[in-house]
Amino acid sequence: MLSYFQVGEWLFYPHKNEIHCKEEVFKIRPKTAEVFKVLLQANGEIVSKHDLLQQVWNDVIVEEHVVFQSMTELRKIFKGTSTIKTHPRKGYSISETITEIDMHSGREEPASSIRSRFKLDDHKKYYYLAPLIVCLCLLLLLAVKYSTGNHVAKQGSVMVLPVTNRIEDSEHMWVKYGGMDLLIKYLQPQLDAPVLPTEEVLDTLKRADVNQEEFDEVTVSRLFEVSGAEVIVVQAMSGYSGDYQLVYSIYKKGSITRGALFADNTNQLYSDLYSLILHSMGVTEISEIQTYQHNFANEMLATAIDEMQSDSFTTAVTMLQAVLVTEPENLLASRMLVKSLVYLNKYEEAKQAAKRGIEYAIKNGDTKNLGRLLFWQALSTTQQRQFDEALAILHQVKIKSEQTNDLLYLANTYRVIGKIHLHKKKFSQAREAIFEALRFYQTIQEPYGQSSMHIDLGELALAEQDWQAAISSFNTALALATKSNISQLVTMSNEWIAKTNEARNGTIN
């Protein structure tokens, strides 16, 4: 039966993926249309995220955030109404009167008929899916059996976003990045899941090409795509000295926890938020917060980060150097300075800046920052084509990163090692390093890194003139980049595919 639905004053045409209201027409994605149809056929009953995934995405393996994306799309259309109702930890329902109308006869179908047909179709679906589910279970058991050993269990990361600072006086300029950095440092020693370091959060924001001042649900959904994170923390601070308010949202794939905290000082605010986040992630034994160096007490550092975010690295270098004159042990400023110098191709200056930061990291016993500064020193050395020296430094990075379980920097380290071996035409060592890097990127579910590593595998295959393997790797990279909508890597993958086809045709001819 070809039909449409009347939902209050709205008309929904499933066969056209359109929702009409008076003279307005809203085009929605096919999957969102399927989600809406399932909710309508439930006729006011609650439909869980699990059921939506089973009925709409039964042919593919996806995460819960796809439901969240469709619900966000629908809420934009029904903004200002209570048409779509969320039932915390249960699911979603439609609160309006629902009528299904046969487009040929104009006959209205009673709600009870819709509901019974919905349930009958559901039973049929599970009947036909049963053999497939059994097969999948067997495959999963085999996968578990043969994936033990050196493989690390996958664990999505936690990403803390910059604070939306609604305090206008100059004394609180540090809050935007300082609050983020402070919370990251509080969480890192307490969680098994990797908490993305400040610089990786900033890189992710640039890759996602999103508004970095306000973070709404659409922006957060985009960041889930690009980062592979399991948890994203959004914060906004307002008030004044002695009377602060922090509004927070803790996004997980498929759920949101929101609230507000009040305190007379920022340290108390972040202590309370730290505890809330850990509780929301099921951590019951919460350690006392250690005293951390406040990297952003110097307002110039926050301004320098803003310059880096807008690719003004020359200005950022000047500011970061000024910060380190007054705060030579500010290791975040040291890392940002080295990174900016690398982007400016000033590799010798970057090596010297890293060396100074390394001395302070050793002095303060800061193993994590020591590993990260060593990495940037190694990268600068690699760019100067001093490969043996770079490999020796990267060996130290591996040791420090393993000691602190710094999975992101382990992935980055193996990637640079792979690049060096590829340049030296040591293909077997390059392949081993690239696969190690890919393994760590997969562990933290980082899409950008995974796509990049398949590009590296394609480059390796191209160097070996294995055209089929090269095309396969570049196509995998393209699929991953397309899925996460990372335009830079989509373009890069397509360029490599074109180059490979040209090289193959040139060899054949």
Side-chain angles (χ1 to χ4, degrees):
M1 178 182 76
L2 189 60
S3 62
Y4 68 93
F5 293 83
Q6 183 172 349
V7 189
E9 62 178 349
W10 305 81
L11 300 175
F12 171 51
Y13 297 90
H15 61 289
K16 295 194 293 184
N17 301 329
E18 289 180 358
I19 298 174
H20 296 205
C21 183
K22 298 176 182 176
E23 295 182 357
E24 286 190 278
V25 177
F26 301 91
K27 193 78 175 176
I28 57 178
R29 293 180 301 129
K31 288 296 185 185
T32 299
E34 289 184 54
V35 167
F36 193 38
K37 186 175 181 180
V38 170
L39 291 174
L40 292 172
Q41 289 177 325
N43 196 47
E45 292 186 0
I46 297 172
V47 183
S48 69
K49 290 192 293 290
H50 174 76
D51 286 342
L52 287 171
L53 286 168
Q54 287 292 329
Q55 294 176 63
V56 178
W57 287 275
N58 60 69
D59 55 339
V60 291
I61 299 173
V62 294
E63 301 289 346
E64 286 188 353
H65 75 277
V66 295
V67 175
F68 172 75
Q69 289 173 329
S70 289
M71 298 310 298
T72 299
E73 188 176 353
L74 289 171
R75 283 201 180 95
K76 280 186 176 180
I77 296 171
F78 294 103
K79 186 176 181 181
T81 74
S82 58
T83 303
I84 298 176
K85 188 173 182 180
T86 301
H87 304 267
R89 295 182 296 278
K90 292 182 180 180
Y92 308 94
S93 68
I94 301 297
S95 61
E96 297 275 5
T97 301
I98 303 165
T99 305
E100 185 173 7
I101 302 169
D102 187 332
M103 294 186 69
H104 297 299
S105 67
R107 181 174 58 84
E108 297 183 3
E109 185 173 358
S112 59
S113 174
I114 298 172
R115 190 158 55 244
S116 63
R117 179 161 51 80
F118 165 70
K119 290 181 178 177
L120 177 63
D121 289 346
D122 192 47
H123 285 306
K124 286 181 180 178
K125 183 177 290 183
Y126 282 108
Y127 175 81
Y128 289 115
L129 278 176
L132 177 60
I133 291 170
V134 171
C135 290
L136 285 173
C137 289
L138 289 171
L139 287 172
L140 285 170
L141 286 171
L142 288 171
V144 170
K145 178 180 178 181
Y146 290 106
S147 64
T148 54
N150 293 328
H151 292 283
V152 183
K154 287 188 178 181
Q155 46 182 324
S157 56
V158 177
M159 183 161 66
V160 180
L161 299 182
V163 182
T164 299
N165 183 12
R166 299 195 173 106
I167 306 174
E168 296 183 358
D169 65 70
S170 60
E171 292 181 5
H172 291 85
M173 284 180 60
W174 64 271
V175 165
K176 179 178 180 180
Y177 299 115
M180 171 185 72
D181 187 60
L182 196 62
L183 190 56
I184 288 170
K185 287 186 174 181
Y186 285 168
L187 292 173
Q188 278 177 337
Q190 190 71 26
L191 291 173
D192 292 330
V195 182
L196 293 183
T198 299
E199 63 267 30
E200 179 64 16
V201 175
L202 299 175
D203 283 347
T204 302
L205 291 173
K206 290 177 73 172
R207 290 170 192 159
D209 191 24
V210 296
N211 181 357
Q212 299 187 26
E213 301 300 325
E214 297 281 348
F215 300 102
D216 58 16
E217 291 187 6
V218 175
T219 301
V220 171
S221 179
R222 170 75 179 129
L223 291 171
F224 270 122
E225 272 187 330
V226 175
S227 68
E230 288 290 330
V231 178
I232 295 179
V233 180
V234 176
Q235 326 159 56
M237 187 181 290
S238 58
Y240 46 86
S241 185
D243 186 13
Y244 294 103
Q245 176 181 345
L246 184 69
V247 177
Y248 66 87
S249 298
I250 303 170
Y251 290 84
K252 297 179 183 177
K253 291 182 177 179
S255 69
I256 311 171
T257 303
R258 289 193 172 100
L261 299 169
F262 301 86
D264 57 8
N265 64 80
T266 55
N267 286 334
Q268 186 61 50
L269 278 180
Y270 281 100
S271 176
D272 292 344
L273 183 56
Y274 156 80
S275 298
L276 276 166
I277 293 170
L278 293 179
H279 278 303
S280 76
M281 297 183 68
V283 179
T284 53
E285 296 183 9
I286 299 177
S287 304
E288 288 187 18
I289 291 177
Q290 303 173 25
T291 301
Y292 289 111
Q293 173 190 352
H294 198 317
N295 287 314
F296 284 90
N298 190 322
E299 293 172 14
M300 193 176 291
L301 177 53
T303 307
I305 298 295
D306 275 330
E307 295 294 335
M308 290 180 68
Q309 289 302 92
S310 60
D311 293 333
S312 301
F313 293 107
T314 301
T315 304
V317 164
T318 302
M319 291 181 171
L320 291 165
Q321 288 171 333
V323 170
L324 289 168
V325 168
T326 56
E327 299 178 24
E329 297 187 27
N330 190 322
L331 298 181
L332 178 62
S334 292
R335 290 210 314 272
M336 295 295 101
L337 175 59
V338 177
K339 184 174 181 178
S340 296
L341 289 168
V342 168
Y343 278 120
L344 292 171
N345 301 326
K346 296 183 177 181
Y347 303 123
E348 188 57 39
E349 289 182 47
K351 282 174 63 177
Q352 295 307 313
K355 183 179 178 181
R356 290 190 293 271
I358 287 166
E359 290 172 357
Y360 286 113
I362 293 171
K363 173 187 170 183
N364 296 324
D366 190 336
T367 306
K368 181 163 282 189
N369 270 311
L370 175 57
R372 292 174 179 178
L373 283 162
L374 283 167
F375 171 80
W376 284 101
Q377 184 185 49
L379 189 60
S380 305
T381 306
T382 301
Q383 297 291 356
Q384 292 179 304
R385 305 173 71 82
Q386 298 168 359
F387 298 128
D388 291 337
E389 181 184 346
L391 286 172
I393 299 171
L394 288 166
H395 178 69
Q396 296 181 59
V397 179
K398 281 196 295 182
I399 294 171
K400 303 304 178 187
S401 298
E402 286 168 355
Q403 288 173 354
T404 58
N405 198 35
D406 198 347
L407 301 182
L408 176 64
Y409 270 77
L410 275 170
N412 294 341
T413 298
Y414 277 108
R415 183 181 185 190
V416 177
I417 291 172
K419 287 283 191 185
I420 291 173
H421 286 315
L422 179 58
H423 182 84
K424 297 176 76 173
K425 300 188 184 304
K426 295 183 176 181
F427 297 144
S428 61
Q429 292 97 319
R431 183 174 287 102
E432 182 181 347
I434 292 170
F435 275 117
E436 277 296 286
L438 180 59
R439 180 169 71 92
F440 282 113
Y441 284 128
Q442 288 173 334
T443 298
I444 60 176
Q445 300 178 28
E446 210 278 328
Y448 190 94
Q450 291 179 59
S451 180
S452 298
M453 295 323 301
H454 284 287
I455 289 176
D456 287 0
L457 284 171
E459 288 188 60
L460 173 60
L462 200 56
E464 295 175 315
Q465 294 192 351
D466 187 341
W467 315 118
Q468 187 173 350
I471 289 292
S472 176
S473 293
F474 293 138
N475 277 325
T476 301
L478 178 61
L480 287 167
T482 302
K483 180 181 178 183
S484 295
N485 195 20
I486 306 173
S487 57
Q488 176 189 355
L489 293 183
V490 169
T491 301
M492 192 180 298
S493 300
N494 280 320
E495 288 175 350
W496 275 112
I497 290 169
K499 287 179 183 177
T500 304
N501 285 327
E502 288 177 9
R504 177 171 57 182
N505 292 338
T507 302
I508 293 171
N509 294 334

